[in-house]
Amino acid sequence: MTAIKHALQRDIFTPNDERLLGIVNVCKAGKKKRNCFLCATVTTERPVQVKVVKVKKSDKGDFYKRQQTWELRDLMEVDAKDASKENPEFDLHFEKVYRWVASSAAEKNSFISCIWKLNQRYLRKKVEFVNVSSQLLEESVPSGESQSVAGGDEDALDDYQELSAREEQDIEGMMEMCEYAVSNAEAFAEQLSRELQVLDGANIQSIMASEKQVNILMQLLDEALGEVDTIEGKLSSYEEMLQSVKEQMDQISQSNRLIQISNTNNVKLLDEIQFLVNYMDLSKGHVRALQEGDLTSPKGIEACINASEALSQCMNVALRPGHDKLAAVTQQQLLFAELRDTFARRLTNHLNNVFVHQGHDQSSTLSQHSEMSLPKHSPLHRDLLRYAKLMEWLKNTHREKYEGLSRTYVDYMSRLYEREIKDFFEVAKIKMAGTSKEAKGKFATLPRKESALKQETESLHGSSGKLTGSTSSLNKLTVQGANSRRSQSSSLLDMGNMSASDLDVADRTKFDKIFEQVLSELEPLCLAEQDFISKFFKLQQHPAVMPPLAQPETEEADGGSVSRIPPQAEHRQSLSSEKDLVRLMMNKIFQSIETELNSLIALGDKIDSFNSLYMLVKMSHHVWTAENVDPASYLSTTLGNVLVTVKRNFDKCISAQIRQMEEVKISKKSKVGILLFVTGFEEFAELAETIFRNAERRGDLDKAYVKLIRAVFTNVEKVANESQKTPRDVVMMENFHHIFSTLSRLKISCLDAERREAKHKYTDHLQSYVINSLGQPLEKLNHFFEGVEARVAQGVREEEVSYQLAFNKQELRKVIKEYPGKEVKKGLDNLYKKVDKHLCEEESLLQVVWHSMQDEFIRQYKHFEDLIGRCYPGSGITMEFTIRDMLEYFSSIAQSH
């Protein structure tokens, strides 16, 4: 193995500046034996690189070649397979696992030991060794061949030191001084050895010569030690002297510390006394104001406010630890509590008297006045707002008295407002009833049938019904001035014998003004009271509390006790919940407003069901305005509830009109003409367009339009089918023409489809009526040519029709002779009279129908001539009147009538 190692070093590694440190003869595990060598090498140049090289003997000769090289830093693991038994197998884990079988276990152990040493020296223990005995790694490599292979060179590598440049120059100088340094190296080495011995002897003599000086030095050291002992004695005496001084200084320091502590305590005591005097002392003026201050004059109220604030500061001061145990502090706290209770009692009694007096005040009622206006409470609010800060103080200090005052205010003000609102609505109802006196007189003069119809309709409007529309589309309706309203007809309920009149329009305009005045009076009243409650009871500046009025109401509703809100929950209340509390107080104070408004709306609906249109627009505008100010306010909620009632009445009005359309009966002896509910829809649409002209949103009106127009369409067809005196086509043509004209004039966008449908129905029934009526003046001629067309349709050639017995030329001449010009004119005149009898005068459709008949007659005439030319060619047969004659007949008949 030594010879192989030398050969590999010489042939492979020396040319690459590498030294071979370890070698093992191996073959791959599990394959056919093909021996190779694994070599551990290091480079001779810095930095040192450690490699594992696989070397294989060439098949063609006795030289070796490098087959594969791995960097030792890429080696992750060395697996010896078994640490307790001799086993030649081992694995090296590079980028993949290489399995080897060594020629002997000793060679394997020597190679692994070499790898371990290289790892320790250069890689800082990076490689992991598995199944390797610790004894192999700790002990030196065994003696023998393996030691010479792996260990010797590594030790030589450790002891080897490269000569420096200075050393090289010295060696070269000595070799130049000796002539035989190169030729006779042994003689040169003996000379260097003799010179070295001479130098050693000189060194020894020099050491022996310096012994006397050493003795002198030792003597000097002994003297120095003696001086040190003397100095230490003096330092000890000085230390004893300073010890007494230290004790005295300690006593002085202790005295100073006690004086400093005393001064600190005095300063702290003075600070505590000043704190208590500054924050726990109430001036005599404040005490006097709290005990006997005037609560009626502005100066007295201001003094009481300042005193209450000072008292609150004294009572709410944050005492330091131990203050509550001081007798003076306890005495002051008792004095403050007594002053607080006394002033709270005085303030509560005074405000209670003010509330009671205002609640019993009769001077502001409307019972003795006919003016339709609500009294203003701004003077009372202005006077009471002077106590707002005192109410805030009472709310924070005496919650029970604050709640009692709140209940008292709500109770007495609700009585006052109930009287005023009741009188106000009585005046409004009287004025409304005055607008309908003449209308009631007209109802009294109606025939029995119309009076019964009116009574039935009023009872229908008084009944309860379901809300079929949505109020969401009414939120932004604007209010239209009464001056811009057009004078339109009366309601569809009076379509029996009553027509539109100026009196009806005046009554509705007056009702509209009254209703608007009612809402305009209520709105500022509610807003002013809500603003006053928020400011006076401080419900929007501090955490909200449960108003006292809500407690008894909840107890009555639930029949149990009301649990109070804990303080922590009060601090978490938001501004929205505070507004809810204000709305609860407003509900209590103005509990009669919604009832009175509903009563007023019922009266207006009873007077005239069309009043619901005015009320819908007005109420929607006020709801929209209130929601923009505060969606959760009392006014917004109340008006929203009333708006639902108004919308319900509007839906009842529409349903009643549809029901009346379905119940219409026509006379069997007179012609139909324009149906009453058709003209009624026109009047309703004109009035509604006037009322809703400037409305921002009109969704409910558009829905009502669609319901009404579909009912009109359905019932027009129903009446047309039931008509006996007037042809069905005439009824459909006239009424749909009237509907089309109305929708075209009013330009209602949501009814564009119905407008086109009405035009289509009018055109179709006009054409149908013309065709059906024209068959009568030339009846025999029509029948003859229908037979001709039937023969042609059966397959008879046109030029052979004249050979048919029933349709020969003689039969044709006979039929034509029966319709001379004079006879045709007479027939057309009779037709004109009949059409005139069918049509009504309101629509003025006679000339339109007559012109259409003229066009249809000319079309038939040309058709007859065409058939004569095709079926009777060369016969010379023509009609006894020409198209020019026909035009003259139609013109003269129209002018004569």
Side-chain angles (χ1 to χ4, degrees):
M1 182 63 73
T2 302
I4 295 175
K5 177 186 174 186
H6 284 284
L8 293 177
Q9 177 68 51
R10 182 185 66 249
D11 298 338
I12 296 178
F13 299 114
T14 298
N16 293 326
D17 295 329
E18 293 177 322
R19 264 199 309 277
L20 177 62
L21 300 181
I23 186 171
V24 60
N25 186 4
V26 295
C27 63
K28 288 187 178 180
K31 292 188 176 181
K32 185 178 179 181
K33 275 197 173 185
R34 297 184 65 183
N35 290 346
C36 58
F37 298 97
L38 290 180
C39 304
T41 66
V42 295
T43 59
T44 58
E45 296 180 355
R46 305 280 180 171
V48 177
Q49 295 182 5
V50 186
K51 300 178 182 179
V52 177
V53 182
K54 179 182 175 183
V55 178
K56 185 179 180 182
K57 190 175 183 179
S58 175
D59 296 335
K60 298 181 180 180
D62 291 335
F63 64 91
Y64 297 91
K65 64 178 179 179
R66 185 192 297 252
Q67 189 175 16
Q68 193 171 0
T69 303
W70 298 276
E71 294 285 344
L72 187 63
R73 64 171 176 268
D74 295 334
L75 180 63
M76 294 176 287
E77 182 180 316
V78 176
D79 187 359
K81 296 299 184 180
D82 196 341
S84 58
K85 297 180 181 180
E86 295 292 334
N87 185 358
E89 296 182 1
F90 67 97
D91 295 342
L92 299 181
H93 293 251
F94 290 99
E95 74 279 0
K96 66 178 183 177
V97 180
Y98 294 90
R99 305 184 186 280
W100 307 100
V101 179
S103 59
S104 66
E107 285 189 17
K108 180 190 83 170
N109 292 337
S110 176
F111 183 76
I112 291 176
S113 177
C114 180
I115 294 294
W116 181 78
K117 290 181 179 181
L118 292 175
N119 174 53
Q120 296 292 321
R121 179 181 179 93
Y122 298 106
L123 300 183
R124 298 180 183 177
K125 302 181 181 179
K126 178 181 177 183
V127 181
E128 183 177 359
F129 291 84
V130 181
N131 296 322
V132 179
S133 64
S134 58
Q135 183 179 3
L136 175 64
L137 300 179
E138 293 175 358
E139 295 180 354
S140 59
V141 182
S143 59
E145 182 181 354
S146 297
Q147 182 178 5
S148 63
V149 174
D153 288 342
E154 187 177 354
D155 293 339
L157 178 64
D158 292 341
D159 296 337
Y160 173 77
Q161 293 183 357
E162 188 176 358
L163 293 178
S164 64
R166 177 82 176 272
E167 292 173 341
E168 289 181 358
Q169 291 178 1
D170 293 340
I171 292 174
E172 288 177 358
M174 287 189 298
M175 292 176 69
E176 289 177 356
M177 294 172 61
C178 183
E179 297 178 355
Y180 51 86
V182 177
S183 59
N184 192 353
E186 292 180 359
F188 180 64
E190 289 179 0
Q191 181 181 348
L192 291 178
S193 178
R194 287 194 300 270
E195 292 179 357
L196 181 60
Q197 289 176 1
V198 172
L199 290 175
D200 288 341
N203 287 336
I204 292 173
Q205 290 178 1
S206 175
I207 292 172
M208 293 176 66
S210 61
E211 182 178 359
K212 182 178 180 180
Q213 296 178 356
V214 171
N215 292 332
I216 295 172
L217 179 61
M218 294 298 292
Q219 184 178 359
L220 291 175
L221 288 176
D222 291 338
E223 292 176 358
L225 289 174
E227 291 294 331
V228 169
D229 292 338
T230 304
I231 293 173
E232 285 182 355
K234 291 181 180 181
L235 290 176
S236 298
S237 63
Y238 294 157
E239 185 177 0
E240 292 175 358
M241 295 170 63
L242 291 174
Q243 184 66 30
S244 61
V245 175
K246 178 183 178 185
E247 293 176 357
Q248 294 176 3
M249 293 302 296
D250 289 341
Q251 293 177 359
I252 295 172
S253 175
Q254 182 69 19
S255 299
N256 289 337
R257 186 163 58 254
L258 293 175
I259 293 173
Q260 185 177 3
I261 292 173
S262 178
N263 289 337
T264 303
N265 290 337
N266 291 333
V267 172
K268 290 184 178 179
L269 179 59
L270 179 62
D271 180 62
E272 296 293 335
I273 294 174
Q274 289 178 348
F275 172 80
L276 294 176
V277 171
N278 292 336
Y279 295 102
M280 294 287 291
D281 187 28
L282 195 63
S283 67
K284 293 181 179 180
H286 287 164
V287 173
R288 190 181 308 109
L290 292 173
Q291 290 177 342
E292 53 188 29
D294 186 8
L295 289 172
T296 58
S297 64
K299 290 185 179 180
I301 295 173
E302 184 67 24
C304 291
I305 291 174
N306 294 333
S308 64
E309 291 177 351
L311 179 61
S312 296
Q313 291 178 358
C314 291
M315 296 189 70
N316 296 329
V317 64
L319 295 177
R320 297 172 182 174
H323 284 179
D324 54 345
K325 297 180 181 180
L326 298 176
V329 173
T330 305
Q331 184 179 358
Q332 283 293 96
Q333 289 177 336
L334 293 176
L335 175 62
F336 294 156
E338 183 180 356
L339 289 174
R340 178 195 62 191
D341 296 340
T342 301
F343 182 67
R345 186 165 52 253
R346 291 181 59 240
L347 177 62
T348 303
N349 293 335
H350 177 73
L351 292 178
N352 267 328
N353 293 334
V354 174
F355 297 158
V356 172
H357 173 73
Q358 186 64 27
H360 290 295
D361 187 11
Q362 301 289 336
S363 61
S364 61
T365 59
L366 294 172
S367 58
Q368 304 298 329
H369 305 282
S370 60
E371 292 293 332
M372 202 178 75
S373 63
L374 283 167
K376 307 300 180 185
H377 294 269
S378 53
L380 172 65
H381 293 166
R382 185 171 56 253
D383 294 339
L384 287 178
L385 282 176
R386 297 182 301 175
Y387 302 96
K389 291 186 178 180
L390 293 177
M391 283 297 297
E392 182 179 7
W393 174 84
L394 191 65
K395 175 182 177 182
N396 295 328
T397 57
H398 262 284
R399 184 60 57 82
E400 294 79 8
K401 294 185 181 298
Y402 169 81
E403 293 175 353
L405 275 178
S406 302
R407 282 193 293 269
T408 303
Y409 177 81
V410 169
D411 290 341
Y412 283 96
M413 293 306 293
S414 63
R415 300 176 190 176
L416 174 62
Y417 278 117
E418 186 175 2
R419 291 197 307 270
E420 294 176 353
I421 291 171
K422 183 177 180 182
D423 294 340
F424 173 72
F425 275 94
E426 285 298 327
V427 174
K429 290 177 182 177
I430 291 172
K431 289 183 177 293
M432 278 189 183
T435 63
S436 60
K437 287 181 179 179
E438 295 184 11
K440 290 181 178 178
K442 286 195 286 185
F443 289 140
T445 60
L446 286 175
R448 182 177 180 182
K449 182 176 181 181
E450 281 76 7
S451 299
L453 177 62
K454 180 68 181 177
Q455 183 178 0
E456 179 183 356
T457 306
E458 288 182 355
S459 64
L460 175 64
H461 283 197
S463 63
S464 61
K466 294 184 178 180
L467 181 63
T468 58
S470 170
T471 61
S472 62
S473 62
L474 299 174
N475 290 337
K476 294 186 178 179
L477 285 175
T478 58
V479 179
Q480 180 181 358
N483 294 332
S484 65
R485 291 190 174 88
R486 297 172 56 191
S487 298
Q488 300 297 340
S489 61
S490 61
S491 95
L492 293 179
L493 305 176
D494 305 332
M495 62 177 63
N497 289 330
M498 295 183 65
S499 60
S501 66
D502 294 337
L503 180 60
D504 295 327
V505 177
D507 287 346
R508 290 172 181 164
T509 304
K510 189 173 182 180
F511 170 83
D512 183 39
K513 290 181 179 180
I514 294 172
F515 191 73
E516 171 63 22
Q517 188 174 358
V518 169
L519 296 179
S520 299
E521 288 288 329
L522 289 176
E523 185 170 346
L525 180 73
C526 294
L527 292 178
E529 183 64 30
Q530 180 170 325
D531 183 62
F532 168 75
I533 289 175
S534 300
K535 293 179 179 178
F536 184 71
F537 291 99
K538 297 296 180 182
L539 290 176
Q540 291 186 357
Q541 299 179 5
H542 294 282
V545 296
M546 179 64 70
L549 65 96
Q551 295 181 9
E553 291 179 359
T554 308
E555 289 176 0
E556 293 174 4
D558 300 337
S561 61
V562 180
S563 59
R564 295 183 178 272
I565 300 178
Q568 296 82 359
E570 291 181 1
H571 289 282
R572 290 195 297 268
Q573 292 289 344
S574 63
L575 186 61
S576 61
S577 62
E578 295 172 7
K579 293 180 180 179
D580 294 339
L581 302 179
V582 175
R583 191 170 66 251
L584 289 175
M585 298 181 72
M586 293 288 292
N587 286 334
K588 180 84 174 184
I589 294 174
F590 293 107
Q591 56 186 348
S592 61
I593 283 185
E594 187 170 346
T595 304
E596 293 292 343
L597 273 175
N598 287 330
S599 175
L600 187 69
I601 290 169
L603 176 62
D605 189 61
K606 185 176 181 181
I607 292 172
D608 185 355
S609 63
F610 274 10
N611 286 336
S612 61
L613 276 71
Y614 293 97
M615 292 188 287
L616 186 62
V617 174
K618 295 291 184 185
M619 188 62 69
S620 299
H621 172 72
H622 283 273
V623 168
W624 176 70
T625 304
E627 287 184 346
N628 284 341
V629 175
D630 183 3
S633 66
Y634 164 79
L635 183 65
S636 174
T637 305
T638 302
L639 294 183
N641 295 337
V642 176
L643 178 60
V644 174
T645 303
V646 174
K647 178 61 172 58
R648 185 181 294 116
N649 291 341
F650 175 76
D651 292 338
K652 289 180 183 177
C653 176
I654 301 301
S655 301
Q657 294 178 32
I658 294 175
R659 191 178 300 109
Q660 285 184 347
M661 295 179 193
E662 296 171 351
E663 296 174 356
V664 165
K665 302 295 182 181
I666 59 174
S667 175
K668 297 181 180 180
K669 298 181 179 180
S670 61
K671 59 183 176 181
V672 176
I674 303 302
L675 296 170
L676 292 177
F677 58 78
V678 174
T679 56
F681 172 78
E682 177 185 10
E683 295 166 359
F684 171 82
E686 290 174 345
L687 178 62
E689 287 300 309
T690 302
I691 297 173
F692 284 81
R693 177 179 301 167
N694 295 326
E696 292 182 0
R697 295 181 62 181
R698 42 179 288 163
D700 289 279
L701 179 63
D702 290 343
K703 294 177 182 178
Y705 274 149
V706 174
K707 291 181 181 179
L708 286 174
I709 198 66
R710 299 317 307 179
V712 169
F713 280 18
T714 302
N715 288 283
V716 166
E717 294 186 4
K718 175 185 173 185
V719 172
N721 293 330
E722 295 175 354
S723 174
Q724 298 180 1
K725 184 70 174 177
T726 306
R728 179 180 183 276
D729 289 329
V730 174
V731 176
M732 297 285 286
M733 172 184 64
E734 289 181 330
N735 283 278
F736 279 106
H737 178 266
H738 190 87
I739 295 171
F740 170 71
S741 301
T742 300
L743 297 180
S744 299
R745 175 167 51 85
L746 296 179
K747 297 179 180 179
I748 303 174
S749 59
C750 67
L751 298 180
D752 283 343
E754 285 74 9
R755 178 179 58 81
R756 292 190 294 269
E757 183 180 354
K759 181 179 180 182
H760 179 71
K761 288 180 178 291
Y762 155 69
T763 305
D764 288 349
H765 289 284
L766 171 62
Q767 189 67 23
S768 176
Y769 177 68
V770 168
I771 292 174
N772 292 333
S773 299
L774 272 180
Q776 296 175 1
L778 307 177
E779 185 176 0
K780 293 182 180 180
L781 195 59
N782 271 319
H783 289 327
F784 182 84
F785 282 110
E786 285 176 359
V788 171
E789 290 177 340
R791 290 292 188 277
V792 173
Q794 292 173 1
V796 179
R797 297 173 61 183
E798 291 180 349
E799 58 272 13
E800 296 178 357
V801 172
S802 60
Y803 298 108
Q804 299 286 326
L805 182 61
F807 301 101
N808 56 25
K809 297 177 182 179
Q810 289 77 13
E811 292 294 329
L812 175 61
R813 290 190 181 96
K814 188 188 298 183
V815 174
I816 290 176
K817 285 182 180 180
E818 293 185 8
Y819 293 100
K822 185 184 294 185
E823 192 67 25
V824 171
K825 183 177 180 180
K826 182 179 177 181
L828 290 176
D829 188 64
N830 292 333
L831 178 62
Y832 185 90
K833 293 177 181 179
K834 192 169 186 179
V835 171
D836 187 25
K837 188 182 296 184
H838 287 163
L839 300 179
C840 65
E841 298 178 359
E842 291 88 344
E843 284 301 292
S844 301
L845 289 178
L846 180 58
Q847 295 304 321
V848 176
V849 174
W850 189 243
H851 188 269
S852 298
M853 286 187 171
Q854 173 183 304
D855 294 340
E856 179 63 23
F857 197 89
I858 293 174
R859 187 191 65 78
Q860 290 187 12
Y861 180 87
K862 292 180 178 179
H863 179 62
F864 294 158
E865 283 192 337
D866 180 63
L867 285 176
I868 292 173
R870 287 187 288 112
C871 299
Y872 302 92
S875 62
I877 301 174
T878 59
M879 304 288 286
E880 296 196 0
F881 57 91
T882 63
I883 292 178
R884 185 173 181 178
D885 295 335
M886 282 193 300
L887 295 176
E888 184 180 352
Y889 297 159
F890 276 96
S891 178
S892 62
I893 291 173
Q895 292 176 2
S896 64
H897 291 81

